Amino acid sequence: MQKASGQKPLGRTSLKATALGLGTTAIGGLYSATSDAAAFETMEAAWDLGVRFFDTAPQYGNGMAEQRLGSFLKTKPRDSYVLCTKVGRLLRLPREPEGEDAYYKGTPPERPVFDFSYDGVMTSVEESLRRLDLDRIDVLHIHDPDAHYAQAMDGAYKALDKLRSEGQIGAVGAGMNQSEMLVKFARHGVFDCFLLAGRYTLLEQGALDELLPLCVEKQISIIIGGVYNSGLLANPGAGAKFNYQEADKGLIDRALQLERACLRHGVPLKAAAIQFPMFHPAVASVLTGARSREEIIENDALFRHPIPAAMWDDLRSSGLISPQAPAV
């Protein structure tokens, strides 16, 4: 059983993240439009549950998630929460109208343009501060630089390192859906935290091989996103998504095996999925991308659901999770 308001430091910084954080893809309109009122209600419910760690990005809702989060956080004492956003995408109007965004619905017309250069990152930070309408950002992540490693290190990292050395931000991170490049970042830069989405979950523990031990060694905190692997661990079955695509039969069968094993111990699969990452010493927080007040309340309840140690032993002994995965 976890507690949403429990806190861990982010790397060697003075910043602390609550065990349960709120990600803002859903309140930015991911897959379906969300109203201002529903978004505000979701954030207020998270706050009431003790959540003080908030993650956003220019890409989420093409600026709308940052605007909504900033409007909400302006109602709270500035030193009472930790705010993360990202760099690597500038929001610009396309030369020709493009219609509705492929992923974010009910959003402004701007679209993200990759830019991991030093100047592009400095511009991105200025524009994020304007959208947020807050005095500072606590954590800045380099956002999904999969095909841009060299520019990310030569440009984005140097910009963020400068902002950190000047005290304008508290922590430098990178957010990705893969662990391999995060290993390179950890070896060649001074990072405080990484946001790892979908690669350390009940279904997939490849990050145990190199990234997580390295982060323990270097005191780099891990923030976990995508604990339900795009929905497969929330509702396994035909049509379930994995990595934003339709899951294949093998993955669905494995998720169903996990579900059956959890239920034998009276534990919902979602409770096991949301709690599992927090047992690793590198992990500081799990982000939940709630869309509504009801979802964040449910996620908090799942985060606190009692889980017997015997269930984790069962999952390890049956090969459903890695024997190296700490889960006690």
Side-chain angles (χ1 to χ4, degrees), residues 120-180:
V121 164
M122 289 301 196
T123 299
S124 179
V125 175
E126 291 174 6
E127 293 178 355
S128 284
L129 282 169
R130 283 200 292 271
R131 284 188 293 268
L132 291 159
D133 194 23
L134 295 169
D135 63 339
R136 71 179 188 273
I137 296 161
D138 299 305
V139 182
L140 281 171
H141 292 295
I142 304 170
H143 194 185
D144 286 337
D146 300 83
H148 307 273
Y149 177 77
Q151 191 180 43
M153 281 302 294
D154 293 340
Y157 172 72
K158 289 180 179 178
L160 299 188
D161 189 41
K162 180 175 189 294
L163 292 172
R164 177 176 54 189
S165 69
E166 293 173 348
Q168 295 188 53
I169 61 173
V172 172
M176 303 194 73
N177 294 287
Q178 56 149 298
S179 61
E180 293 81 7

